Amino acid sequence: MGFRCGIIGLPNVGKSTIFNALTAAGAEVANYPFCTINPNIGIVPVPDERLAKIAQIIKPPKVTCTTMEFLDIAGLVKGASRGEGLGNKFLGHIREVDAVVHIVRCFDDPSVVHIYGPVEPARDIEIVHTELLMADLETLEKRMTKIERLAKSGDKHARKEFEICIHLRDALGKGTPARSITLTEEEKTTINELHLLTAKKILYVANVSEMILKTNGDYIQKIKDIAQKEGLKVIVICGDIEAEIAELSQEEQREFLSDLGLQESGLQKLIREGYDLLGLITFYTTVGPELRAWTIPRGTRAPAAAGKIHSDMERGFIRAEIINFDEFITVGSMSKARESGLIRAEGKDYILSDGDIAYFRFNV
């Protein structure tokens, strides 16, 4: 599994339309709030040109992509942190994901009702931002109530945690999300234990019409201005176009995108930016009949990467035999790579690089 990505936003902003296009999972789409009640889940293969090129050379009987899981979460409304709409359920589902894709409506269509009237991206972003902040403040208050007596009794751990909670509460109260607060390692541990919603990595997706996609209109700029202040990325996607792309073969997709003047689909942009956001890389294995891609955090050492495949491989790790994708493509085969001395033996301290092709030797 690559990572779990929650798709959030107000009702009727195009979440389910984009989810369907990205996953071809057939989530219900309708012009009324709370069409999505329980989260729709779709697992999609991660597009990977390197994997395809390796497969062309070694021609394995089986090729397995790494994957990305999307959760299409129910639309949020004002007061969700107090249980309005499907608030509690919505907020609970966000806690389960690695990253959040916030879909913001940037298209005008009188046939699709906007729950708060005219289209206004800044207002919509602020509503979601506020509700997540309010939910986190409630989480902190509950935790502080629970540990306050221990802290006053002299328990050092409880007192330190209480102080951290106060620091976090004050920052959140000023509108600063947890992910933007400068934290010590101890404070980061506390945030991880509390599962604060505003600590989640976030990508903004501007859902636009085809016309706006070509002109980069005012709606998009409003989102970019907001994202820039927090150092976040904005991806521009036309849900209707993505729905058309999902129905095409790979060759037809390339032609369709070329005709539109686009280099990649929304799914490809979303995955690329998601990997960058979470600091993820891909490595490959060619064991037996299977060529397979694996997703790991950047900075992962060889034994932990081996453990991604099987825990025994991490426990009994001996060494990793490594060649990077670029080197492999240059020589054109594993046998030539060995003859040329390009396959390196690396020990426990080796940190895998993006594009490494690895063979792990172990003994248990």
Side-chain angles (χ1 to χ4, degrees):
M1 181 67 67
F3 58 97
R4 302 187 87 206
C5 191
I7 299 177
I8 71 168
L10 298 180
N12 291 355
V13 298
K15 298 189 313 302
S16 294
T17 298
I18 290 177
F19 173 82
N20 285 347
L22 298 180
T23 67
E28 183 181 1
V29 179
N31 182 22
Y32 55 87
F34 312 124
C35 169
T36 302
I37 297 176
N38 294 314
N40 296 299
I41 298 174
I43 298 176
V44 299
V46 172
D48 192 334
E49 291 184 1
R50 293 182 304 197
L51 184 68
K53 289 180 179 179
I54 297 170
Q56 287 175 358
I57 292 173
I58 68 175
K59 295 178 172 56
K62 183 179 181 182
V63 178
T64 303
C65 302
T66 188
T67 59
M68 178 176 179
E69 182 175 325
F70 288 101
L71 280 76
D72 175 24
I73 299 171
L76 176 147
V77 296
K78 288 180 182 178
S81 58
R82 301 187 302 275
E84 294 292 330
L86 298 169
N88 293 331
K89 187 172 288 191
F90 171 95
L91 298 169
H93 291 145
I94 296 177
R95 299 186 198 280
E96 301 171 6
V97 301
D98 300 310
V100 171
V101 171
H102 182 176
I103 308 289
V104 184
R105 178 169 169 173
C106 294
F107 63 89
D108 294 301
D109 186 345
S111 68
V112 180
V113 178
H114 191 297
I115 191 172
Y116 295 119
V119 175
E120 180 45 66
R123 175 204 59 208
D124 294 355
I125 288 173
E126 183 61 26
I127 289 171
V128 173
H129 177 69
T130 298
E131 293 306 324
L132 298 183
L133 283 172
M134 296 296 290
D136 280 352
L137 284 168
E138 183 180 352
T139 296
L140 285 168
E141 291 292 349
K142 287 180 178 178
R143 184 60 184 168
M144 290 168 68
T145 299
K146 187 173 181 180
I147 64 172
E148 184 174 16
R149 184 176 297 176
L150 275 175
K152 288 182 176 179
S153 71
D155 185 297
K156 292 183 179 179
H157 178 76
R159 186 166 67 247
K160 184 61 178 177
E161 184 179 350
F162 192 78
E163 291 171 356
I164 292 171
C165 286
I166 290 175
H167 171 55
L168 295 173
R169 183 192 64 185
D170 291 346
L172 291 171
K174 295 175 182 177
T176 303
R179 61 181 168 272
S180 298
I181 303 172
T182 301
L183 301 168
T184 65
E185 288 303 315
E186 188 174 11
E187 288 170 333
K188 289 178 183 177
T189 299
T190 299
I191 276 192
N192 290 338
E193 292 173 351
L194 291 170
H195 302 289
L196 297 181
L197 302 177
T198 61
K200 298 286 183 183
K201 302 284 188 178
I202 188 169
L203 279 172
Y204 285 118
V205 170
N207 184 19
V208 303
S209 65
E210 184 174 345
M211 182 180 295
I212 293 177
L213 182 65
K214 295 176 179 178
T215 59
N216 196 28
D218 292 340
Y219 290 155
I220 298 173
Q221 191 56 51
K222 288 180 180 180
I223 300 176
K224 287 182 177 180
D225 290 343
I226 292 169
Q228 186 177 24
K229 293 177 182 178
E230 204 181 331
L232 300 176
K233 295 282 187 70
V234 179
I235 299 172
V236 180
I237 291 179
C238 175
D240 292 339
I241 288 178
E242 292 299 320
E244 291 185 57
I245 292 173
E247 300 294 326
L248 303 175
S249 67
Q250 287 190 352
E251 181 60 34
E252 290 171 331
Q253 286 181 17
R254 284 191 287 269
E255 292 179 6
F256 185 78
L257 289 168
S258 178
D259 290 342
L260 290 171
L262 301 175
Q263 295 182 337
E264 58 186 349
S265 69
L267 173 62
Q268 290 169 318
K269 286 192 288 187
L270 188 55
I271 290 175
R272 176 168 48 79
E273 293 294 352
Y275 268 58
D276 182 61
L277 182 73
L278 292 171
L280 302 175
I281 64 170
T282 302
F283 76 95
Y284 307 94
T285 57
T286 58
V287 179
E290 184 181 27
L291 166 64
R292 183 162 182 170
W294 304 87
T295 299
I296 54 174
R298 190 177 299 278
T300 300
R301 297 186 186 278
K308 179 81 173 180
I309 302 169
H310 197 285
S311 58
D312 285 348
M313 297 177 72
E314 180 174 11
R315 185 161 53 89
F317 178 88
I318 298 173
R319 68 177 182 273
E321 296 176 0
I322 302 288
I323 181 171
N324 194 264
F325 169 80
D326 292 332
E327 296 171 321
F328 174 73
I329 293 298
T330 298
V331 295
S333 74
M334 283 298 181
S335 58
K336 289 181 180 178
R338 289 190 183 279
E339 291 171 6
S340 304
L342 292 174
I343 297 180
R344 314 182 309 274
E346 301 286 359
K348 294 181 178 180
D349 291 333
Y350 177 72
I351 296 174
L352 267 77
S353 297
D354 187 43
D356 275 351
I357 302 171
Y359 182 84
F360 298 106
R361 296 198 178 274
F362 67 103
N363 183 37
V364 290

